[in-house]
Amino acid sequence: MAFLESLFGNANTKYANGLKPLIRDINSLEAGISALSSEEIKVKIQNIKKRLADGEILDNVLPEVFALVREAGKRTLNQRHFDCQLIGGIALHQGKIAEMRTGEGKTLTATLPLVLNALLGKGCHLVTVNDYLSRRDAVWMGQIYNFLGLSVGCINHDQSFVYDQSFKKAEEEDKTRDELGGFLVEEDFLKPCSRKEAYDCDITYGTNNEFGFDYLKDNMVYDLKQRMQRGFNYAIVDEVDSILIDEARTPLIISAPNEEGSKWYTEFSKIIPRLNKEEDFEVDEKLRAVTLTDKGIDKIEAILNAGNIYDERGIKYLHHLEQALKAEILFKKDKDYVVKNGEIIIVDEFTGRMMPGRRWSGGLHQAIEAKEGVRIMPESITLASITFQNYFRMYKKLAGMTGTAETSAEEFDKVYHLDVVVIPTNREIVRKDLGDKIYKTEEAKFRAVAEEIKEKYKTGQPVLVGTTSIEKNEYLDRLLLREGIPHKVLNAKHHEEEGEIIAQAGKKGAVTIATNMAGRGVDIYLGGKPSTPEENEEVKRLEGLHVIGTERHEARRIDNQLRGRAGRQGDPGITQFFVSLDDDVIRIFGGDRIKGLMDRFNIPEDTPIENGMISKSIESAQGKIEGFNFDARKHILEYDDVLNKQRETIYSKRVEILEKVEKGELKEAILPLLEKYNHSQEDYEKKEQEVGSENMRQIEKIATLRVIDNLWIEHLENMDSLKDSVRLRAYGQRDPLVEYKKEGYKMFKELLENYEKMVVESIMRATIKVENIPNQMQAIAESRGNNTPKTEIGRNDPCPCGSGKKYKHCHGK
C-alpha cells in the first residue's frame, strides 16, 4: 500500500489538492465581504436564497456562501474558518464523512454546509450524541446563523428550544462564560418552544434518538397538524462512528406495556444460579452466546418437577429460560448495565454512556431485573420500530464528521454509501504515540497505571486516563485514593458537568479518569481554559497532556479517539496503552499465544514487555472483532430491510388517509370497498343520516386509522416471532433470511387484504355513544337541568360533564 501511495499519491491528499481552486475562490472574496455592513450581508444571503429558488444550483453559490459564513464567524465568535475547515465543509456538503482530528474545529466547520443547504428552505439537521452538546452547539453556532438571518432550533428529550437573542433566562439560572471557565457559551438565548417550531427552523440541532423517535411518533398521529418533522433534506451526523455504527445494533422501539406478559422471571432467577458451567450450559464469548446442554435441560426439568418442558411449557418458556441464563452469565453489573433508583439502565458497551429509556427486548431486560431484585416491568408490545441505519438512509443527502472513521470506511460505504475523507490538519501533529505496555495480570497492570499517574502528578504533567467501564473507573479511583492523588472521575452520567471538567483536564497537575465517551466533543486546552500564555507554555514544557489507555477496546476507533484527546492544534502530547493478558480483547482473541510467549521468557508479573509483534497481534484481534461486529450489524439490517419496505408502505398509507381526511375525500375512497365486501351504498348513506355527517366523517377517520395501526402492531409481533422460528430452518439447509422474506411477504399481503375488509366492517358496526364519562359527570349534567343526557352527542354539542366546552374539545377530544 505504501509503495502504491508513493507512486500514485494518497487518495485523501489528491482530494484536498483537487479542492485548491475552490478554496482560492472563497479566499478571493474575503476582502470584499469584510467591507460589507451587517445589513448588507443579510441582504446578500436573501438574494442567494432567491437565486436558488429560481433554479440556481448550490455548487454555483458555494464560494460566496462559505465566504459569508466565515465573515459571520469572525464578527460573532472572533473565529475565522481555516482553509482545512473549508475543505471539511466542502466534503460535508458533498455528502461525505469528514475525518477531522480532535481540536480541528468540527463544530465550526459544520456551519459552512449547514448554511449553504439551509438556503433551499427545506430545513437541515445537525445530529449530536447527547442533549447537552446539541444545546451547547445550537447556542454557540446560533450566533453565526442569527447574524446571517437564519433561524435555529434545538430538540431535547424534555424540552425544545429556538435560538432568540432577545430571550433571557431568570437571573439565578444565568451561566456566564467566565463562571464556566470560558468553556460554555451561556444558554440565555434558548427560548422554550414546541417541537414543531424547532423543526420548522432553517437549522435544527438534536440527538439521534430524538430525531428517530419523532419520526416514529409522526407516523402514529391522528391529525396531520400533529406531525412535527418536515421531511429529510440534509443531515450532518456529528461523532458519526458512534451514532451510525456503535449505536446501530439497537433499534429504536416505541412500545406499550403488555399486561399479559410472562410471570416466570422470578422463578428463573432462582433456578439459573443452581446450574454449572460446561456441565449444564456452554458459553461462547466470541459470539456472546450461552446455550443449555441436554444435562442442563434435564436438571431444570427435575427442579421444576416437569416432564419434557418443550412439550409441557412450550418453546416460548424455553426462550425466556435462555434469556435468564444470558442475564446471569453474560450481562455484568456496572459494565453492561447499572442499577439506579431501582431501575436497570443499559450502558453502551462501546461508549460507556448510560442509555436511560432504552430496554433490551425479548424478555432479557425483565430477566436482568429479576436477577438484581428490582421491580420487574411488564413485557412490552412493539407499536413502532426502526433501526438507525434505515432512519438515516431516508435523508436525501447525509454527511458525517468524527475524529475516527477511516478504520470503518468499508461499513460506511456498504451500508450508507458514504465515502470517508481524511481532512488535513491545520498544524502538524507532534504527539508521541508510545508502544503498549503489556502485563501478565490485570492487577499488575492497574498497579503500574497508578504508579505512572503518581510519577506524572509529581512533575505536574496533566494526565487523562481512559477506561472501558464504570466498574474499572471505580477500581482505579480506589487505587488513587489510597495513593492520596487528587483526581476527577467521569462516568458519562452528567454530560454538562463532565464537559466542563474535561475542558480543564489539561491544567497543570490535573488527573482525570474517564470512561471512553465521557466529555466527547469537548476540546482539552493545555493549562486549562481560560489559561494565561505562561500556564499554557508551562504545560507544553512538561510534554503536554499524557493520555493513558487502560485496555484496548474491541474497536480501534475507540482507542484512536482516546489518543486524539492529546496533541490538538500542534500541541505536544503523549499517549500509551497499558494492557494485560486478562483483558477481554486479548483473552478471547489469541491470549494463549501471547501468554505462552511471556511464560517462555519467564517474565515476572510486574514486569511489562513492549513488543511490536504482540501489539500487532492485538490490533489483528481488534480487526477480527470489528469484522464480526460488522457482520452482526449487517445481519440486523438485512432483516430490518424486509420490514422497512413494509413500514414505508404502511406509513405512506397512513399519510394518504390523513391527507384525504384533510381534503374531505376519505368517504370517496371508502365507497368502492362497499361493493367489494357486500355492504351496500344505501346502508352506508342510511347510517350517515342516523349519526350525522360530521360524526360519520369521524367514524371513517378513526376506523381506518385504528384498523391499520392494530394490524401493523400485530404484524410487528408476528414478524418478531417469525425471525425466531426461521433460525431453526438453517438446520434443514434453508437460508433463514430467504425464508423470512418469503413468509414475511405472505403475512404482509394478508395484512393488506384484511385491512380493506376490516375498515368496511368497523365503519358499519361503529356506534356513537358517551364513553369514559364517569357517573358523577352525568349527575352534574342532570343537576344543571339536563335530565336526559344524549346517547348520541354531536362534536359541537356541549359536553355532558358540564365544563361548558364543546364535546369535541372536552371528553370527545
Side-chain angles (χ1 to χ4, degrees), residues 430-549:
V430 296
R431 185 187 75 215
K432 292 178 193 168
D433 295 331
L434 305 179
D436 296 353
K437 281 190 173 180
I438 303 152
Y439 293 82
K440 257 189 178 180
T441 67
E442 185 173 67
E443 205 178 324
K445 173 187 75 176
F446 274 108
R447 281 200 303 270
V449 169
E451 195 55 41
E452 180 88 354
I453 294 167
K454 194 175 176 181
E455 291 304 311
K456 300 297 173 189
Y457 178 68
K458 282 178 189 170
T459 66
Q461 185 176 11
V463 180
L464 174 68
V465 187
T467 63
T468 56
S469 69
I470 295 166
E471 183 186 29
K472 302 284 169 66
N473 244 16
E474 290 169 351
Y475 177 60
L476 189 54
D477 174 38
R478 290 193 296 274
L479 287 181
L480 294 186
L481 286 171
R482 207 180 299 157
E483 294 287 344
I485 299 168
H487 60 281
K488 300 273 188 187
V489 181
L490 312 181
N491 289 330
K493 289 179 181 176
H494 309 288
H495 300 300
E496 190 159 343
E497 295 159 30
E498 294 186 359
E500 293 161 25
I501 293 167
I502 208 108
Q504 306 302 328
K507 239 180 172 36
K508 185 184 175 185
V511 176
T512 313
I513 310 169
T515 50
N516 286 312
M517 261 312 278
R520 188 170 177 179
V522 179
D523 287 338
I524 297 173
Y525 291 83
L526 298 187
K529 188 181 177 187
S531 64
T532 63
E534 292 76 26
E535 286 171 324
N536 182 271
E537 281 306 312
E538 189 178 8
V539 175
K540 281 184 179 177
R541 283 195 297 274
L542 293 166
E543 291 194 280
L545 181 67
H546 188 84
V547 171
I548 297 173

Side-chain angles (χ1 to χ4, degrees), residues 48-68:
I48 294 169
K49 213 171 181 180
K50 189 178 181 305
R51 280 159 56 192
L52 290 168
D54 292 340
E56 194 161 354
I57 62 169
L58 287 175
D59 286 353
N60 285 2
V61 300
L62 185 149
E64 200 174 353
V65 172
F66 274 34
L68 287 163

Side-chain angles (χ1 to χ4, degrees), residues 92-158:
L92 292 171
H93 163 64
Q94 291 175 347
K96 298 182 189 297
I97 290 174
E99 177 174 302
M100 297 179 73
R101 293 292 180 98
T102 301
E104 291 296 306
K106 293 191 289 290
T107 309
L108 187 63
T109 299
T111 58
L112 298 158
L114 283 172
V115 170
L116 176 62
N117 285 270
L119 296 179
L120 291 173
K122 297 174 183 176
C124 295
H125 297 165
L126 192 289
V127 188
T128 65
V129 292
N130 62 54
D131 280 349
Y132 155 64
L133 285 177
S134 68
R135 285 197 310 276
R136 184 200 75 174
D137 294 351
V139 175
W140 189 10
M141 298 301 120
Q143 296 166 84
I144 290 176
Y145 307 130
N146 183 74
F147 180 85
L148 295 169
L150 298 177
S151 57
V152 187
C154 176
I155 306 287
N156 272 194
H157 182 63
D158 298 316

